Amino acid sequence: MAIPRITVLVSGRGSNLSALIEAERNGLLGGTVSAVMCNRADAPAVAIAAAHGIATTLVEHRRFADRGAFEAALGAAIDASDPQLIVLAGFMRVLGAAFVGRYEGRMLNIHPSLLPSFPGLDTHRRALAAGVRVHGCTVHFVTADVDHGPIVMQGALAVHDADDEAALAARVLALEHQLLPAAVRAFCERRLVIAGERVRVIDGVVPATALVVPLSAAAADLISPV
Ligand code: GRF
């Protein structure tokens, strides 16, 4: 069977893109990052893709009259890259229902909170303001409802008393870099089964750090003493 082709959509820093590329290099992705799409010419992620010889297509939203025109161009670029999987890795544009519907069941997003808590922006600041003791990140299938699709995997960690937004963001980001490649690998290996709002992960491989769900019974003990 041909190795699954993955198109990654980015808008900024590109650290999750780097994590995917790194996992592929180490034989841990189960697919190949064959194309990158970016909506901002100045995004550091563009240079990361270039440094690895990955074809990057710039589709700058500000050059289009409206969201429909932007999404038509983005969709054409994605389809030309012929992916089995599309990954939103820090892609900062809301995508419309028709667009999302075209890629139903094969578009993943990484979000920096334990959904359904804190959809949207400024998740770490809001988590601290709410006083939660457990925070983390989520990989989910993309649906028209922003930050709400079926959850594939979640990574959780304890919030420390001394945490500020930057410290918490850094720890969650490190967790994202484990979680996203693990979820992509499960997709590429056809180990994700969507059943309504729930996703079953067959033979889930649990990354070593923090608490990643699905988890083993032993790891569940980690969650109590925060
Ligand atoms: C990550 O925190 C991701 O969860 C969110 O946007 C951020 C992107 O960071 N959707 P990077 O560009 O991958 O470094």
Side-chain angles (χ1 to χ4, degrees):
M1 197 182 70
I3 184 158
R5 297 165 57 82
I6 304 160
T7 292
V8 183
L9 273 56
V10 292
S11 296
R13 180 176 53 188
S15 69
N16 278 289
L17 171 65
S18 288
L20 292 171
I21 294 169
E22 176 82 10
E24 181 182 346
R25 277 181 164 183
N26 294 330
L28 297 172
L29 196 61
T32 182
V33 178
S34 50
V36 170
M37 317 267 138
C38 186
N39 65 311
R40 301 185 70 101
D42 59 352
V46 174
I48 292 171
H52 290 88
I54 300 169
T56 303
T57 306
L58 265 182
V59 186
E60 291 181 279
H61 60 277
R62 60 188 183 85
R63 294 190 184 275
F64 295 89
D66 54 34
R67 190 166 80 178
F70 168 64
E71 289 183 353
L74 183 62
I78 291 172
D79 293 346
S81 70
D82 190 26
Q84 275 72 53
L85 173 66
I86 299 127
V87 177
L88 309 186
F91 186 68
M92 301 305 286
R93 304 300 297 176
V94 171
L95 297 167
F99 181 91
V100 166
R102 281 167 69 179
Y103 305 108
E104 190 180 350
R106 58 189 189 104
M107 184 182 275
L108 295 176
N109 180 47
I110 175 107
H111 181 78
S113 78
L114 291 172
L115 292 173
S117 291
F118 313 118
L121 300 174
D122 299 323
T123 54
H124 309 306
R125 185 172 54 71
R126 289 158 58 211
L128 288 170
V132 297
R133 302 313 313 238
V134 178
H135 185 48
C137 48
T138 302
V139 175
H140 65 96
F141 281 102
V142 177
T143 60
D145 205 0
V146 177
D147 294 335
H148 275 90
I151 290 170
V152 176
M153 291 185 186
Q154 294 188 298
L157 44 73
V159 178
H160 301 157
D161 289 344
D163 272 336
D164 60 12
E165 189 178 349
L168 188 56
R171 289 211 312 290
V172 172
L173 189 65
L175 195 49
E176 291 183 36
H177 296 160
Q178 295 182 65
L179 196 72
L180 185 59
V184 166
R185 182 177 188 175
F187 180 95
C188 289
E189 294 177 353
R190 298 170 182 266
R191 290 189 288 106
L192 300 183
V193 183
I194 307 176
E197 281 305 301
R198 300 180 69 182
V199 179
R200 192 157 60 88
V201 183
I202 300 165
D203 297 334
V205 179
V206 180
T209 309
L211 175 67
V212 173
V213 178
L215 43 57
S216 66
D221 294 339
L222 287 172
I223 202 165
S224 342
V226 280

